[in-house]
C-alpha cells in the first residue's frame, strides 16, 4: 500500500519541526543552523522551504503549541476568577510532554518571534485585567490601561520564569495557580 502524498508531507513537516526543536534547544535560535536541522530531519533544505519561509517561521511553528496552551489559560480567566483552575490540568499535561519547548522560550525571549508571542499574550492579559477592573469598579480611573499592562507584563514573565526553572510538573502547576491567585486577589483588592 502506498502512502498518500499529503500524509508523507505531514510526516516530513513533523520531522522538520521535531529536528528544529532539538536544534533550537541545544544551540539557541541564533546559533541554530537550517543545514543541521535538515540533517537531523533527514530532508533537504528544499523540503524545509516547502513548509517554512525561513528560520524565524520555523521557530514560530515550533513555539505555536506552547502559546496556544498558555493562551488557553488566559481564555479561561472567567473560570479562574471563580477559583476554577481546571485549565491548568491541560497545561500540566502539555508541560510534562514538552519541557524542551519551554527552555527554548526562556532562552530565546529576545528573538522577534518569541517577543511577538509574549506581546500578544501580554495584551490578552491586559484586556482581561481591565475587564475585571471595570466589572468590579466601573468608574475606576486609578486602574487604567497602563497599570493593567504593567501587571500583565509582570504576570506573563512570572509564568515564563516558573515554567522554565522548575523541573517538577506538579510544583510548576501549583506555583502557576498560586501566582494567578496572588495577581487576581491583588487586583481585586485594589479595585474594591
Amino acid at each position: 500500500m502506498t502512502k498518500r502524498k499529503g500524509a508523507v508531507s505531514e510526516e516530513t513537516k513533523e520531522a522538520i519541526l521535531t529536528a528544529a526543536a532539538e536544534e533550537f534547544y541545544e544551540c539557541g535560535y541564533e546559533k541554530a543552523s537550517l543545514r543541521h536541522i535538515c540533517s537531523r530531519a533527514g530532508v533537504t533544505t528544499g523540503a524545509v522551504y516547502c513548509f517554512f519561509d525561513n528560520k524565524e517561521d520555523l521557530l514560530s511553528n515550533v513555539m505555536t503549541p506552547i502559546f496556544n496552551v498558555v493562551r488557553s489559560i488566559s481564555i479561561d480567566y472567567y473560570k479562574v476568577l471563580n477559583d476554577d483552575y481546571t485549565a491548568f490540568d491541560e497545561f500540566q499535561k502539555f508541560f510534562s510532554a514538552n519541557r524542551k519547548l519551554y527552555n527554548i522560550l526562556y532562552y530565546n525571549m529576545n528573538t522577534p518571534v518569541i517577543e511577538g508571542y509574549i506581546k500578544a499574550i501580554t495584551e490578552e492579559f491586559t484586556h482581561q485585567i481591565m475587564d475585571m477592573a471595570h466589572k468590579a469598579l466601573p468608574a475606576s480611573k486609578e486602574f487604567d490601561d497602563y497599570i493593567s499592562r504593567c501587571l500583565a507584563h509582570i504576570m506573563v514573565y512570572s509564568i515564563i520564569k516558573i515554567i522554565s526553572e522548575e523541573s517538577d510538573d506538579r510544583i510548576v502547576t501549583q506555583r502557576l495557580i498560586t501566582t494567578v491567585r496572588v495577581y487576581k486577589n491583588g487586583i481585586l483588592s485594589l479595585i474594591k
Side-chain angles (χ1 to χ4, degrees), residues 85 88 162 171-185:
Y85 297 97
F88 287 92
I162 289 167
I171 292 173
V172 167
T173 301
Q174 188 54 51
R175 286 183 178 166
L176 289 176
I177 290 170
T178 300
T179 301
V180 170
R181 280 183 178 154
V182 166
Y183 281 107
K184 178 190 81 166
N185 292 331

Side-chain angles (χ1 to χ4, degrees), residues 19-173:
E22 287 294 324
E23 180 79 4
F24 294 142
Y25 175 75
E26 291 176 13
C27 303
Y29 174 74
E30 291 299 322
K31 293 182 180 176
S33 160
L34 282 178
R35 190 179 48 186
H36 290 151
I37 292 168
C38 292
S39 177
R40 286 176 187 256
V43 300
T44 65
T45 53
V48 171
Y49 287 114
C50 179
F51 296 104
F52 308 101
D53 295 335
N54 50 36
K55 188 167 79 169
E56 187 175 81
D57 186 34
L58 190 50
L59 177 64
S60 177
N61 279 272
V62 165
M63 299 309 296
T64 295
I66 210 173
F67 287 101
N68 289 341
V69 171
V70 173
R71 186 168 281 125
S72 74
I73 293 171
S74 74
I75 288 170
D76 285 341
Y77 90 103
Y78 288 111
K79 289 181 180 179
V80 171
L81 285 176
N82 294 311
D83 293 322
D84 176 354
Y85 297 97
T86 55
F88 287 92
D89 294 338
E90 179 186 345
F91 174 84
Q92 184 174 352
K93 289 176 193 168
F94 185 82
F95 177 73
S96 295
N98 297 283
R99 182 170 294 284
K100 286 181 179 180
L101 290 181
Y102 289 98
N103 286 326
I104 294 168
L105 165 71
Y106 187 68
Y107 291 109
N108 295 281
M109 287 193 298
N110 61 341
T111 63
V113 168
I114 294 177
E115 283 178 343
Y117 278 120
I118 291 171
K119 182 178 178 184
I121 290 171
T122 301
E123 285 297 315
E124 287 181 26
F125 278 118
T126 299
H127 294 300
Q128 292 166 1
I129 291 168
M130 285 298 293
D131 186 48
M132 183 175 27
H134 289 302
K135 285 181 179 172
L137 190 61
S140 174
K141 293 185 181 184
E142 296 174 13
F143 210 88
D144 60 8
D145 187 54
Y146 180 80
I147 295 294
S148 297
R149 189 174 316 286
C150 288
L151 290 171
H153 184 79
I154 292 167
M155 186 170 172
V156 168
Y157 279 91
S158 296
I159 290 169
I160 291 169
K161 188 155 183 71
I162 289 167
I163 61 179
S164 299
E165 293 183 353
E166 179 55 56
S167 60
D168 185 307
D169 301 344
R170 289 173 293 139
I171 292 173
V172 167
T173 301

